[in-house]
Amino acid sequence: SINMDKKSWFCHHCQFKGRHFEVSEPSIVYVKPEFKNNTEINDKVVKWFETRKIRQNTLIDARITSSLEFMPQLSKNVLTINFNYFFKNELLNVKYRTSGKDFKLHKGSELIPYNLDVLLTNIDTVIITEGEMDCLSFIEAGITNVISVPNGANPKTNNLSYIDRFIDLFEDKQIILATDNDDAGRVS
């Protein structure tokens, strides 16, 4: 039994009892990935982006990197595109993507929007996309006031609670949702 008013507890099984405990919200400790300033992106990755009409300069500006990464879907190390998620110039997460569209986020890292630092600049409108590729496409077109959700659009599991920490950054900004024209995009 726990008595919150008296701040005491008693175990009816072993008779262990005590007093004076503090109730507090559990704090979440996130794992921050180590940023490797890998300015040379693998040639295969650069060529893959070129097929999507995204130039290497855009990749460098967006701080895209590449690496060999274990992908659980494939059960092996493969070449990945690394979408580095920064906030206030600090790396907080990485999404790894294969050319075959397998994804994973850095284990234990905080979920934040991609390209979030753009909200720290002097913009009055922000475009929110469903994915990093959509975000990069806008940047390639010269539209840089764009962010992406980290986990795409899924009408069954859309959970945007990670936005709460950054809600003040959206204040006084016009928000444009640029979603795909599919069921998930229309529901989002």
Side-chain angles (χ1 to χ4, degrees):
S1 301
I2 297 175
N3 184 321
M4 298 299 282
D5 294 328
K6 294 181 181 179
K7 295 186 178 180
S8 63
W9 70 89
F10 177 76
C11 177
H12 296 275
H13 174 72
C14 68
Q15 309 337 266
F16 180 67
K17 60 184 175 181
R19 299 181 52 98
H20 305 293
F21 63 90
E22 293 297 321
V23 177
S24 62
E25 292 293 318
S27 62
I28 299 172
V29 177
Y30 293 109
V31 177
K32 292 181 184 173
E34 178 186 340
F35 182 64
K36 296 176 176 100
N37 188 10
N38 188 4
T39 54
E40 291 201 22
I41 303 167
N42 183 285
D43 288 345
K44 289 180 183 178
V45 170
V46 173
K47 289 181 190 322
W48 183 84
F49 273 107
E50 285 175 354
T51 67
R52 311 282 301 250
K53 305 298 183 210
I54 297 175
R55 297 170 297 132
Q56 187 172 5
N57 286 347
T58 300
L59 301 178
I60 293 167
D61 290 346
R63 295 158 87 167
I64 301 295
T65 56
S66 60
S67 66
L68 286 178
E69 184 69 28
F70 181 81
M71 295 300 284
Q73 303 93 327
L74 304 172
S75 298
K76 63 180 180 179
N77 285 333
V78 294
L79 179 64
T80 60
I81 299 162
N82 304 343
F83 296 98
N84 297 296
Y85 283 65
F86 286 91
F87 181 57
K88 295 185 178 177
N89 214 26
E90 180 179 15
L91 182 65
L92 297 184
N93 207 335
V94 179
K95 182 186 274 184
Y96 304 95
R97 177 195 169 137
T98 66
S99 60
K101 226 174 175 189
D102 296 303
F103 300 94
K104 79 172 186 180
L105 287 161
H106 187 267
K107 186 175 181 169
S109 293
E110 183 178 8
L111 211 55
I112 67 170
Y114 178 69
N115 201 35
L116 184 60
D117 279 350
V118 76
L119 294 180
L120 301 173
T121 64
N122 190 20
I123 60 169
D124 54 10
T125 301
V126 62
I127 301 166
I128 302 174
T129 68
E130 279 186 46
E132 299 85 1
M133 291 302 296
D134 299 326
C135 187
L136 288 175
S137 296
F138 274 100
I139 293 169
E140 179 66 35
I143 302 167
T144 59
N145 56 325
V146 59
I147 65 173
S148 171
V149 297
N151 46 4
N154 184 335
K156 294 178 183 166
T157 61
N158 265 352
N159 178 355
L160 302 175
S161 61
Y162 59 89
I163 290 286
D164 292 348
R165 176 175 167 215
F166 309 103
I167 200 69
D168 293 346
L169 299 176
F170 292 91
E171 192 172 316
D172 298 326
K173 289 181 178 48
Q174 178 185 12
I175 298 171
I176 299 172
L177 298 178
T179 60
D180 297 340
N181 191 23
D182 57 13
D183 289 342
R186 287 190 296 274
V187 170
S188 299

